[in-house]
Amino acid sequence: MSVQAEDLIRIAQKVLDIVGVIDYSELQLIYALKTEGKWKVSFAYEYSLGRSTIGKIGSFAVDAESGDIEGMWLDRSWK
């Protein structure tokens, strides 16, 4: 199995599931680079916290051949 660009949104959803983010919306890829056999990807998403909507940015690295997630981070947030 080789990971294609169209698979990256599904992997971003899996990353959010792994870290326990279940109620989110507006998931968008904002950066994807395939280099040295890996995809390096950043994404943005929103979730509701009470009456506020919080935006967050996450990142992950995934092996381009196997699809194994090699690292994941949830970085910044904004209101």
Side-chain angles (χ1 to χ4, degrees):
M1 171 195 141
S2 178
V3 176
Q4 303 300 314
E6 55 269 9
D7 299 323
L8 298 176
I9 195 79
R10 179 186 49 78
I11 296 170
Q13 292 168 332
K14 183 176 180 179
V15 166
L16 289 173
D17 185 53
I18 290 170
V19 297
V21 178
I22 53 175
D23 187 23
Y24 62 89
S25 63
E26 301 291 327
L27 178 61
Q28 297 179 307
L29 296 182
I30 54 175
Y31 173 85
L33 175 67
K34 187 177 179 182
T35 180
E36 299 177 6
K38 299 180 191 314
W39 279 101
K40 298 174 183 177
V41 179
S42 292
F43 59 94
Y45 65 97
E46 294 181 348
Y47 70 96
S48 295
L49 185 61
R51 294 180 182 203
S52 298
T53 299
I54 307 294
K56 290 191 86 68
I57 297 175
S59 302
F60 64 89
V62 63
D63 185 277
E65 288 302 314
S66 69
D68 293 336
I69 298 170
E70 298 183 350
M72 60 187 111
W73 309 266
L74 296 181
D75 301 321
R76 302 179 192 110
S77 64
W78 67 93
K79 290 184 180 183

